[in-house]
Amino acid sequence: MTDIDTLLAPRMHRFKPSPSQLATARVRELTAQGRDIVKLTAGEPDFPTPEVAKAAVMELMESGTVGYTPINGTEALRKAIQHKFKRDSGLDFALNEITVGSGTKQILFNALMATVSEGDEVIVSAPYWTSYPDMVQLAGGTPVIVRCEQNRSFKMSGEMLKEAITDKTKWFIFASPTNPTGATYTREQIRELADVLLEHPNVYILCDDVYEHLVFDGRSFATLIEVEPRLRERTITCNGVSKAYSMTGWRVGFAAGPAPLIAALSKMQSQSTAGSSAVGQAAAAAALLGPLDYVKERTKDLQDRRDMLYDALNAIPGLRCDRPEGAMYLFCSCAAFIGKTTPAGKLINNDEDFVHYLIDEGDVAVVQGSAYGMSPYFRASFVAPREDIVKGAERIHAACANLV
Ligand SMILES: Cc1ncc(COP(=O)(O)O)c(C=O)c1O
């Protein structure tokens, strides 16, 4: 029998599996045991695939051939991406400045794997999407975590960025709106970061725009190079159809940036998945070329659910969360409950204990803040049926009230 520890490469110990996927797996396991768990862990919108995307896939099926696609994506999809950047951000990209991957995640992975080596530093603001530091470590680099507190709306200032930059900095990863806080930078806040980046010509920028369309209360979205075009030559702008069009399962993401860098991303992908699925690309192209009105309606629907969960959680004595400006999550402080004891006599030492208590004794699932690099917090997704939002908040309320 194989000893797994001897078999696995050292790189396998440099990163963790995704904690939100672990939470989802735990809910599945408990549900299979017959438990009624309210799930506030979703990292994906719950709307159906857009009609235009379905129609494009049917048309592809009718054509009879579904073959390999170019590594950097079909020309039809890259043209649709070109159109999207022009329509939404006024940006012009040539077709060789665009590449396609199996999700935004793969694009980010390709970019880091293609460029980061031992000793390189990558600046990531915390709370962060869990994959950023893990991918940096997997690539052999060092994530430099900049803690952005709740009292500054979880956002990084120019000054904080400046302090984090060293002569080893290779990338600054920037996301707005962000997962897990929904923090959405204004143009002025982006300007402040851009001014610092202009002073440091050796720093490259990975700009993750995957939540672009999920901004609330009439806010407008701006991507980094739209605010500061002089950063274009060292920025990779990443995006995908997962969140905007509720197409997570179609696995299509894309990037635009300087042609040689974009070619390096494709080269990396050529020895893993090769070209992304032809079916997904046909669907994504149709979504990107299609209308945006239903996307706006869906965002409004998410905004209503955000308000429901925000009002319900903020009414619970001891919890403290801000109304998120974008994305799909509330990031809530549970500091008041650390040091308390559960009815079963367990001490709550940290946010992980708090979250385990909620699921084990409260029948409601959320994800601990430590997974996103900031404690003591938890992330609660408002992508859930309205009745589950109500029920979930009631359960959190009751569980909190039972802690002494
Ligand atoms: C900030 C952020 N970037 C990227 C992704 C990956 O998205 P995709 O489904 O396009 O791979 C996610 C998914 O949760 C995310 O939260």
Side-chain angles (χ1 to χ4, degrees):
M1 206 172 87
T2 314
D3 174 356
I4 193 72
D5 285 330
T6 0
L7 180 67
L8 294 183
R11 77 174 74 88
M12 288 301 287
H13 302 293
R14 290 199 219 130
F15 65 98
K16 311 173 292 305
S18 155
S20 47
Q21 279 167 24
L22 286 180
T24 308
R26 175 97 179 111
V27 174
R28 215 174 287 133
E29 195 183 298
L30 291 173
T31 310
Q33 289 168 15
R35 293 262 303 272
D36 158 40
I37 308 286
V38 173
K39 190 172 152 248
L40 301 180
T41 52
E44 54 185 345
D46 52 1
F47 304 105
T49 296
E51 289 304 323
V52 281
K54 284 195 228 165
V57 170
M58 295 313 287
E59 203 179 306
L60 178 70
M61 299 292 105
E62 293 301 325
S63 80
T65 10
V66 182
Y68 284 130
T69 62
I71 308 292
N72 61 348
T74 61
E75 189 167 320
L77 176 55
R78 279 179 297 126
K79 282 186 169 160
I81 295 165
Q82 226 176 14
H83 163 82
K84 177 253 169 299
F85 276 113
K86 185 76 181 163
R87 176 194 63 193
D88 299 341
S89 311
L91 295 168
D92 289 298
F93 283 104
L95 287 183
N96 68 349
E97 292 179 309
I98 294 170
T99 194
V100 171
S102 300
T104 315
K105 194 170 202 171
Q106 188 180 32
I107 291 287
L108 292 161
F109 183 86
N110 289 342
L112 292 166
M113 288 300 278
T115 57
V116 172
S117 9
E118 216 68 43
D120 288 341
E121 294 180 351
V122 178
I123 299 175
V124 176
S125 68
Y128 46 68
W129 179 46
T130 57
S131 294
Y132 298 142
D134 284 317
M135 284 183 188
V136 171
Q137 279 166 320
L138 179 51
T142 307
V144 173
I145 308 296
V146 179
R147 198 176 154 100
C148 302
E149 301 289 348
Q150 186 170 10
N151 62 9
R152 38 171 316 100
S153 308
F154 303 111
K155 291 180 192 172
M156 196 190 279
S157 66
E159 200 55 40
M160 291 159 83
L161 175 59
K162 196 170 177 170
E163 270 174 34
I165 295 175
T166 71
D167 52 9
K168 293 188 188 147
T169 308
K170 186 151 245 172
W171 290 100
F172 166 47
I173 302 184
F174 176 68
S176 169
T178 32
N179 175 3
T181 64
T184 304
Y185 288 67
T186 62
R187 279 176 175 264
E188 292 68 34
Q189 289 162 341
I190 297 175
R191 170 87 267 146
E192 203 184 303
L193 298 174
D195 285 344
V196 173
L197 293 164
L198 283 174
E199 285 168 23
H200 294 90
N202 297 329
V203 177
Y204 280 73
I205 305 113
L206 257 181
C207 184
D208 181 351
D209 289 348
V210 80
Y211 290 100
E212 167 177 5
H213 290 288
L214 306 189
V215 287
F216 305 132
D217 310 311
R219 281 182 180 80
S220 63
F221 168 87
T223 190
L224 180 76
I225 61 167
E226 193 186 339
V227 176
E228 183 42 88
R230 282 176 292 172
L231 291 173
R232 182 179 166 134
E233 285 315 305
R234 48 192 170 104
T235 300
I236 298 184
T237 304
C238 314
N239 208 328
V241 291
S242 286
K243 317 289 177 175
Y245 298 98
S246 198
M247 289 174 64
T248 48
W250 295 86
R251 305 311 301 131
V252 178
F254 51 88
L261 202 43
I262 288 297
L265 266 62
S266 298
K267 183 178 178 192
M268 179 55 65
Q269 190 170 306
S270 72
Q271 291 304 355
S272 58
T273 56
S276 163
S277 140
V279 180
Q281 291 188 71
L288 291 171
L289 292 172
L292 276 176
D293 47 349
Y294 68 92
V295 175
K296 290 199 176 78
E297 280 161 27
R298 290 171 168 195
T299 300
K300 177 73 181 65
D301 182 82
L302 281 179
Q303 182 180 308
D304 291 346
R305 288 190 266 170
R306 172 203 65 171
D307 289 338
M308 280 182 76
L309 187 62
Y310 169 79
D311 291 342
L313 291 189
N314 249 355
I316 300 174
L319 290 186
R320 192 166 66 91
C321 44
D322 300 331
R323 200 184 290 271
E325 299 164 332
M328 311 183 295
Y329 323 97
L330 263 96
F331 201 61
C332 233
S333 168
C334 55
F337 300 102
I338 307 303
K340 301 228 173 197
T341 308
T342 71
K346 279 194 216 140
L347 182 66
I348 305 282
N349 287 304
N350 49 40
D351 52 20
E352 199 171 343
D353 289 348
F354 181 75
V355 161
H356 285 159
Y357 162 65
L358 288 184
I359 192 160
D360 290 340
E361 297 183 44
D363 291 333
V364 55
V366 293
V367 186
Q368 65 276 16
S370 57
Y372 307 97
M374 192 173 286
S375 293
Y377 284 86
F378 65 89
R379 188 191 82 166
S381 167
F382 44 85
V383 181
R386 282 168 166 74
E387 55 277 20
D388 282 8
I389 292 179
V390 173
K391 213 190 316 170
E394 280 169 4
R395 288 182 182 186
I396 294 176
H397 199 152
C400 288
N402 282 337
L403 290 172
V404 286

